[in-house]
Amino acid sequence: MALIVQKYGGTSVGSTDRIKNVARRVAKHKAQGHDLVVVLSAMSGETNRLIGLAKEIQANPDPRELDVIVSTGEQVTIGLLVMALKELGIEAVSYTGGQVKILTDSSHTKARIQHIDDANMRADLNAGKVVVVAGFQGVDANGNITTLGRGGSDTSGVALAAALKADECQIYTDVDGVYTTDPRVVPEAKKLKTITFEEMLEMASLGSKILQIRSVEFAGKYNVKLRVLSSFQEEGEGTLITFEEDSTVEKPVISGIAFNRDEARVNVIGVPDKPGIAYQILGPIADANIDVDMIIQNVGQDGTTDFSFTVPKGELARTVKVLEGVQAQIGGKSVSGDDKICKVSIVGVGMRSHVGVASTMFRTLAEEGINIQMISTSEIKISVVLDEKYLELAVRVLHKAFGLDRVA
Amino acid sequence: MALIVQKYGGTSVGSTDRIKNVARRVAKHKAQGHDLVVVLSAMSGETNRLIGLAKEIQANPDPRELDVIVSTGEQVTIGLLVMALKELGIEAVSYTGGQVKILTDSSHTKARIQHIDDANMRADLNAGKVVVVAGFQGVDANGNITTLGRGGSDTSGVALAAALKADECQIYTDVDGVYTTDPRVVPEAKKLKTITFEEMLEMASLGSKILQIRSVEFAGKYNVKLRVLSSFQEEGEGTLITFEEDSTVEKPVISGIAFNRDEARVNVIGVPDKPGIAYQILGPIADANIDVDMIIQNVGQDGTTDFSFTVPKGELARTVKVLEGVQAQIGGKSVSGDDKICKVSIVGVGMRSHVGVASTMFRTLAEEGINIQMISTSEIKISVVLDEKYLELAVRVLHKAFGLDRVA
């Protein structure tokens, strides 16, 4: 008998029929003798509907009141699931974030969990009840309703698993696990049985939208065993996110290939090659609240250098405008932007102990005539920026080159 | 400068545009220097939508979880109104029932308010803020979300006015006051400037659906000055509900005429005329949880009597079935039902001091050839049951006979 936290996302509870399916799955695990805490998102589309109402009134909705409004989405689904469980003869009880209580800081719309009171949940579990908790939400020290930001229900699930010292946190979603890459791009993509936390972090932050990145960090920090499963398949072990590289199994050097179509490249040409130039360029960008991803600066020649970085596509125009405003001050020759790019990354803890991974990547791309615009590396990841028309081709040939289509 | 509690119903907040209208009205009162606490219902249709979702899962939804779900309707509107007020530059803050907190008993879906903590609201009012509270909901001593039953937002408004010792509780609705009768039936119906609490209670319980009857009782009990106004008209004083008959003004004996199409009559013929027979008949009805309204028992002849009462139309079939089941035991000759009836009532504290009110009523109906099936009286009300086809005619001739079309 184990204590399991199960988190179901918006599509898994998108209709009353789907909620009944979730109830049946919970009932099955309960019948196996497990204690269960279930964390739910709002019905798919509901959070957007509520934000839409708010925006009809305020273009930039007041954060405190927005939290009051959007937190209702999860409050509806927890009530519905408890009803569905009772229809199956299973005792259950629902809790809002405030009722648990899940204490957060006061950063409305992006609050961080500070503490979880497990007393009520423990009492209910001991009484044989299934505990159903609203994801995505908490309450601050003054009793104000807070939310954790998009995808925050994953974080709620992991935080509850940590607080309850659960044996496993299962994230049910509309995919049946983590794949070597997006199967829509490479049909030969294979489901991974395991992936390490570090790899998952790189995959998540590089555009694999399976898990909210904060929930993965949280799970790593508190040693929560995390598993991604499909809520639409009856069987299947999903993908287990592990703490250590599984050394007993022969694995490919690379675990997966992530990609991102949503970035644009900015070039600042001919800036003086002197200390402080990076700050002079990126300071105004940060002040304008624009997220910067890859940053490349080459060794300069003739006392000048070129500086490049990527921003979200939607921010490109604003970024260029900000830089043009400070160009005279910086002393650069020109500022240009390109939104017809993509980023492709290979991820794997295996590259730590294998030489030649980078050269395999670059050779594979060169053989297809694909020009690399930017390169950025971390200990377990190599990212390249390419012309966006090459995205599918690049992912496909890299997938094959690293033997990912042969993953067991 | 006064402290005013304003309550807006579902149609008044039925869209974001209407919520903006409410904000403008609140702003106007605020600009006049008043302190304002605003109580809101859910957007019209929303509570029914939520109940519909619950019923897709449970035919008889679990009461605790139903309260968790339906209480979200008001939680959305309070957030939206605060946003609309902020757009107008007015500081405001929202509270759910639990945040106030409005402490109730644990009778889910029909909870009663036990205590209201006014500390937070007072602090906000003192800081110049408009306080926006979710109607219809509260929280029990264990932190469970409760609701007050249909129309409970009126009760929330009155209870908050009582707790805050507000100068006035204004109920904004889709009518602009209390009328002598329904203007759709009698175009000459006049709006009343004042009506006494007793009269309003009789009007409310007799089918004038302007105010929830519990809110009127509550207002009477705690001496809350209650006013009904239209949220769709810019001007107008509405109808003030007063504690005492206004003796300085010459008023008609009768204040208004109420009617109800939703009752059915049940006759139990030839039951033994002996002590305990009323209980023998009505006991099983109460056990079946059927509301009984008018009850008539005549002096019997030949040792038997006829017993009649009214129930909601939708309960007639079940009522007859219950009685047929106990008929042998009761010893009655027959049980019959008639759902083609209506109830018409004249209401007025003036009838206490005026003789001949009943005879005027009966003569007026007789002159039109309308047969009276049942009569029931209280100190300030006379109700008759008629064939339902006579409803409009009866209301119209009574309205004229008692001079209600000449109300100033």
Side-chain angles (χ1 to χ4, degrees), chain B residues 353-365:
Chain B
S353 51
H354 282 74
V355 292
V357 170
S359 65
T360 300
M361 183 182 198
F362 302 151
R363 176 171 45 77
T364 304
L365 295 173

Side-chain angles (χ1 to χ4, degrees), chain A residues 16 19-20 43 46 49-50 53-54 56-59 61-62 64-69 71-72 75-76 78-84 86-87 92-96 99 143-145, chain B residues 16 19-20 43 46 49-50 53-54 56-59 61-62 64-69 71-72 75-76 78-84 86-87 92-96 99 143-145:
Chain A
T16 49
I19 289 172
K20 289 176 190 173
M43 296 171 95
E46 179 65 2
R49 183 184 77 87
L50 293 167
L53 281 177
E56 282 175 31
I57 288 183
Q58 281 193 306
D62 180 81
R64 179 190 186 276
E65 302 303 328
L66 188 62
D67 280 353
V68 169
I69 292 169
S71 61
T72 62
Q75 191 168 325
V76 170
I78 57 172
L80 293 175
L81 180 63
V82 171
M83 288 179 183
K86 293 202 168 191
E87 279 293 286
V93 61
S94 74
Y95 288 98
T96 63
Q99 286 176 322
N144 296 303
I145 296 168
Chain B
T16 49
I19 288 172
K20 290 177 189 173
M43 295 172 96
E46 180 63 3
R49 183 184 76 87
L50 293 166
L53 281 176
E56 283 175 28
I57 288 183
Q58 281 192 306
D62 180 81
R64 179 191 185 277
E65 302 302 328
L66 188 61
D67 280 353
V68 169
I69 293 169
S71 62
T72 62
Q75 192 168 326
V76 170
I78 58 172
L80 293 175
L81 180 62
V82 169
M83 289 179 182
K86 293 201 167 189
E87 279 294 285
V93 61
S94 73
Y95 288 98
T96 64
Q99 286 176 320
N144 296 303
I145 297 168

